[in-house]
């Protein structure tokens, strides 16, 4: 077994908590936080008490949007031009985020953060989502602690 050394991270005095929320199949204007009709008091409180960014390039489907958000790259540069199950052997459509594209979790780890991913992942090929693994394309393989 190879033991990974703890990274030499840059300590930040009073680092902020970071929460990234990605919702599938929800229009931006549906929550009352953003002027919609659906009552979302917790989301509104988070918005009011923190810094919020409300412009983001989304794609028409989930896996590419997640890959873009996780890597900060265009979804084709993150090799996820379509959902993972529709992967092809074309550039930009391999369905697997390359290890050369660091994720936000990997970057935050370098600054001493602990990270978690909850909910739908949908960025691991279906034949790798069994108890047999491999686990390098699961959230923990992309820098998330949990």
């Amino acid at each position: 077994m190879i033991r990974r050394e703890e990274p030499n991270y840059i300590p930040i005095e009073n680092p902020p908590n970071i929460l990234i929320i990605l919702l599938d199949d929800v229009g931006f204007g549906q929550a009352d936080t953003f002027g919609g009709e659906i009552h979302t008091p917790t989301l509104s409180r988070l918005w009011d008490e923190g810094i919020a960014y409300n412009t983001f390039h989304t794609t028409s489907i989930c896996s590419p949007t997640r890959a873009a958000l996780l890597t900060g790259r265009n979804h084709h540069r993150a090799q996820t031009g379509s959902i993972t199950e529709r992967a092809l052997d074309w550039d930009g459509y391999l369905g697997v985020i390359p290890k050369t594209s660091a994720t936000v979790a990997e970057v935050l780890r370098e600054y001493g953060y602990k990270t978690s991913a909850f909910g739908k992942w949908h960025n691991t090929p279906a034949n790798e989502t069994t108890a047999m693994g491999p686990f390098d394309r699961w959230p923990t393989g992309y820098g998330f602690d949990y």
Side-chain angles (χ1 to χ4, degrees):
M1 177 160 87
I2 298 173
R3 182 168 183 234
R4 182 172 181 248
E5 295 294 321
E6 283 295 315
N8 295 324
Y9 65 87
I10 302 166
I12 299 173
E13 191 173 324
N14 299 318
N17 290 318
I18 299 171
L19 176 64
I20 298 172
I21 300 172
L22 176 64
L23 302 172
D24 278 346
D25 304 321
V26 176
F28 183 74
Q30 289 181 324
D32 67 352
T33 306
F34 310 110
E37 297 180 9
I38 300 171
H39 188 56
T40 53
T42 302
L43 185 59
S44 294
R45 190 169 58 251
L46 289 169
W47 177 274
D48 292 339
E49 294 177 10
I51 297 172
Y53 300 96
N54 63 359
T55 55
F56 172 70
H57 168 73
T58 64
T59 69
S60 61
I61 45 182
C62 56
S63 299
T65 297
R66 278 183 184 76
L69 181 64
L70 287 169
T71 64
R73 298 172 183 259
N74 176 282
H75 55 293
H76 290 100
R77 294 296 252 167
Q79 297 299 324
T80 314
S82 185
I83 62 171
T84 305
E85 288 87 344
R86 293 186 189 156
L88 302 166
D89 62 348
W90 303 343
D91 286 343
Y93 290 87
L94 300 177
V96 173
I97 299 171
K99 294 298 182 176
T100 55
S101 295
T103 65
V104 65
E106 291 167 320
V107 172
L108 289 174
R109 178 182 281 172
E110 296 295 320
Y111 289 90
Y113 279 87
K114 297 295 182 189
T115 57
S116 300
F118 298 97
K120 181 179 171 186
W121 176 252
H122 212 199
N123 283 90
T124 302
N127 64 334
E128 296 182 12
T129 59
T130 68
M132 299 291 290
F135 303 106
D136 61 326
R137 293 191 182 118
W138 289 31
T140 53
Y142 284 109
F144 289 96
D145 296 299
Y146 302 97

